[in-house]
Amino acid sequence: MPAEIILQQTPDAAALFDKREQLAAVRTMLAEREAELAQIRAQLKTFEGRYLRQVGVLYAELDELEARIAEREVALYDSESARRRAEETRQRAQETRDAAFGEAREAEEFDPPPSLKTLFRDVAKRIHPDFARDEEELKHFTLLMARANQAYSRGDTEMLQRLLDDHREIHASIAGEGAAAEVLRIGRQIRHAERDIAALDAERAALLSGDIAQLHLDAETAAREHRDLLTELATSLLEQVADARRRFELIDRQISAHGR
């Protein structure tokens, strides 16, 4: 009777197999979380752009008119309370204008400093997909590189530095060779991936609890009722702007009548 040869994995080899399975699973989960968060960001960004174009600019116009009215009231009444109100309304008008128009200006003015460029290059030299050793690492490096590009476009030095530090820690030398050492290296990768998943979940929760997300939710509810919430808000603001213009013209006439 022929003898059967039974191949058994060593404990280290079995542990390495399990760790690789865990790493593949956690990286898949990380990629899914990244994709989900990217979709949420894109949806809210698109909605915020529409909000700023339809509603934000009208808030800015209204607050500017209110500030001008308050400033004219100083000339008419010349009181401490009038001056204080003029300062407050002017500050609010500036804040509203910055909110409505500031983002586009910041995008136009984005000029990354040399330190950010150097940091980005250091990161790219380590995690660029071209340097991947296998298909699994190629997918992971592609994900990391996308994150690095987003951080660079935002001027997010902290995120870029974290990507660099993570890479250095994961690939720091571990005493010994073979399966046992590889298990330790993969363990580091798993811990970093799990930490990144937790960070993405926290960012998702923060985004969905923000004002824009709530307004987006309200707009979706209105849409199911065949209403356009942003158009309704804009219509209401147009009426308020028209009223503010009338009040500004009235106070202007009062000042002229008093010869001021």
Side-chain angles (χ1 to χ4, degrees):
M1 182 175 180
E4 292 183 356
I5 300 175
I6 300 175
L7 298 178
Q8 291 185 331
Q9 288 183 318
T10 65
D12 285 347
L16 178 57
F17 178 81
D18 288 343
K19 282 294 182 184
R20 283 174 173 163
E21 290 286 302
Q22 291 176 37
L23 180 60
V26 78
R27 280 182 169 175
T28 297
M29 185 182 297
L30 178 60
E32 290 171 352
R33 291 289 208 284
E34 285 274 12
E36 181 185 3
L37 185 58
Q39 184 177 9
I40 292 172
R41 286 196 200 105
Q43 287 176 341
L44 294 182
K45 188 76 171 177
T46 298
F47 178 77
E48 184 178 18
R50 184 182 166 214
Y51 169 82
L52 290 174
R53 289 190 299 273
Q54 284 189 247
V55 180
V57 293
L58 293 176
Y59 271 121
E61 184 178 0
L62 177 61
D63 283 351
E64 174 62 27
L65 282 167
E66 294 292 356
R68 291 170 64 188
I69 289 169
E71 288 163 354
R72 298 299 275 165
E73 286 176 343
V74 172
L76 188 62
Y77 302 118
D78 191 25
S79 67
E80 183 59 34
S81 61
R83 280 189 288 274
R84 186 166 56 252
R85 181 175 181 277
E87 291 174 0
E88 291 171 353
T89 54
R90 173 52 61 193
Q91 181 178 351
R92 184 167 62 248
Q94 186 61 51
E95 291 171 354
T96 308
R97 180 174 179 79
D98 288 345
F101 302 105
E103 186 175 335
R105 184 170 60 250
E106 287 173 7
E108 292 173 0
E109 294 175 354
F110 178 66
D111 183 18
S115 59
L116 182 65
K117 294 178 181 178
T118 299
L119 180 57
F120 178 74
R121 282 195 295 268
D122 287 345
V123 172
K125 283 189 294 187
R126 290 165 172 80
I127 65 171
H128 195 281
D130 287 350
F131 304 141
R133 294 169 296 181
D134 52 43
E135 281 298 316
E136 186 65 31
E137 196 168 74
L138 175 62
K139 293 177 183 177
H140 186 56
F141 277 14
T142 300
L143 181 68
L144 292 180
M145 198 65 216
R147 197 183 303 172
N149 283 323
Q150 290 171 1
Y152 180 72
S153 66
R154 296 194 305 266
D156 191 345
T157 303
E158 184 178 342
M159 172 58 77
L160 287 172
Q161 188 62 54
R162 195 176 83 178
L163 288 170
L164 184 60
D165 292 343
D166 285 354
H167 185 276
R168 286 171 174 166
E169 181 183 345
I170 289 170
H171 293 85
S173 61
I174 294 177
E177 296 293 336
E182 186 66 14
V183 165
L184 293 177
R185 279 189 286 269
I186 292 176
R188 287 177 176 176
Q189 293 173 300
I190 291 171
R191 288 193 298 275
H192 281 83
E194 289 174 339
R195 183 207 61 194
D196 289 344
I197 289 171
L200 291 172
D201 287 345
E203 183 180 349
R204 179 183 183 277
L207 280 175
L208 294 180
S209 64
D211 292 340
I212 287 295
Q214 184 57 56
L215 189 60
H216 182 246
L217 186 62
D218 293 343
E220 288 183 330
T221 301
R224 287 193 291 272
E225 300 170 355
H226 307 290
R227 295 167 41 231
D228 187 328
L229 180 62
L230 295 189
T231 298
E232 291 175 2
L233 290 173
T235 300
S236 174
L237 281 167
L238 284 170
E239 294 173 356
Q240 294 177 60
V241 166
D243 177 68
R245 284 179 180 150
R246 286 191 292 269
R247 287 187 286 115
F248 179 77
E249 291 168 0
L250 175 61
I251 197 169
D252 226 23
R253 288 196 297 270
Q254 290 175 327
I255 290 172
S256 297
H258 285 79
R260 296 182 182 180

